[in-house]
Amino acid sequence: SELGTLTNLTWMELYNNRLTGTLPSELGALTRLTHMWVYSNQLTGTLPSELGALTRLLAHMNLHTNQLTGTLPSELGAITGLTDMWLFRNQFTGTLPSELGALTSLSGMGFHDNQVTGTLPSELGFLTRLTRMWVCNNPGLCGDIPAGV
């Protein structure tokens, strides 16, 4: 996709539209991207694991209120510059990856209103800058709250 050629792009604001289709894996080539606001659309498919290539600069990931599916890729844990990650109101399934515990710059995260299952990873206790966490309305989420959370 031609999107991957926009290597100088720092802000992507494509929210509150009727965009359809999937998130292209070429987003991982946008290594200068700091803000990815692609929320409130009708996007489907999975989160590309290539997003893990946005290791340092991506600070804000807002992909909420779409129709994204599948499990959250463990590669999200490599985006260590993230301060906000909002993936709520999608159709994600599976467990929250333990690799999210590597996002030590994270101050806000939202995974509510999905189909996440299993337990909260104890590694979330490493997120000492976290001030806002929404993981509600995931009917399959169960077990104990980890001591460090």
Side-chain angles (χ1 to χ4, degrees):
S1 148
E2 292 77 17
L3 185 62
T5 64
L6 302 176
T7 55
N8 289 315
L9 190 66
T10 58
W11 284 68
M12 178 183 288
E13 294 189 31
L14 299 172
Y15 58 89
N16 291 332
N17 293 298
R18 291 183 181 161
L19 299 177
T20 58
T22 60
L23 288 169
S25 60
E26 289 81 8
L27 286 175
L30 306 180
T31 56
R32 295 177 188 250
L33 198 62
T34 60
H35 293 72
M36 182 186 300
W37 293 350
V38 191
Y39 59 87
S40 296
N41 283 290
Q42 298 168 15
L43 297 172
T44 58
T46 60
L47 278 183
S49 60
E50 289 83 359
L51 291 179
L54 305 176
T55 54
R56 294 192 182 150
L57 293 181
L58 186 63
H60 304 280
M61 179 187 289
N62 294 307
L63 299 173
H64 66 79
T65 317
N66 279 290
Q67 299 166 24
L68 299 171
T69 59
T71 59
L72 297 172
S74 60
E75 289 84 357
L76 289 179
I79 312 173
T80 55
L82 271 180
T83 59
D84 294 288
M85 179 168 41
W86 306 110
L87 301 176
F88 58 88
R89 291 191 191 119
N90 280 290
Q91 299 168 22
F92 291 117
T93 57
T95 60
L96 294 176
S98 61
E99 290 82 0
L100 294 178
L103 302 177
T104 55
S105 296
L106 206 60
S107 64
M109 66 183 229
F111 297 107
H112 58 84
D113 297 304
N114 279 290
Q115 299 299 317
V116 173
T117 59
T119 60
L120 290 174
S122 61
E123 290 82 359
L124 294 181
F126 299 141
L127 306 179
T128 57
R129 294 184 181 173
L130 197 63
T131 59
R132 298 159 292 150
M133 179 173 87
W134 288 282
V135 193
C136 49
N137 293 327
N138 286 284
L141 196 61
C142 58
D144 294 334
I145 298 173
V149 173

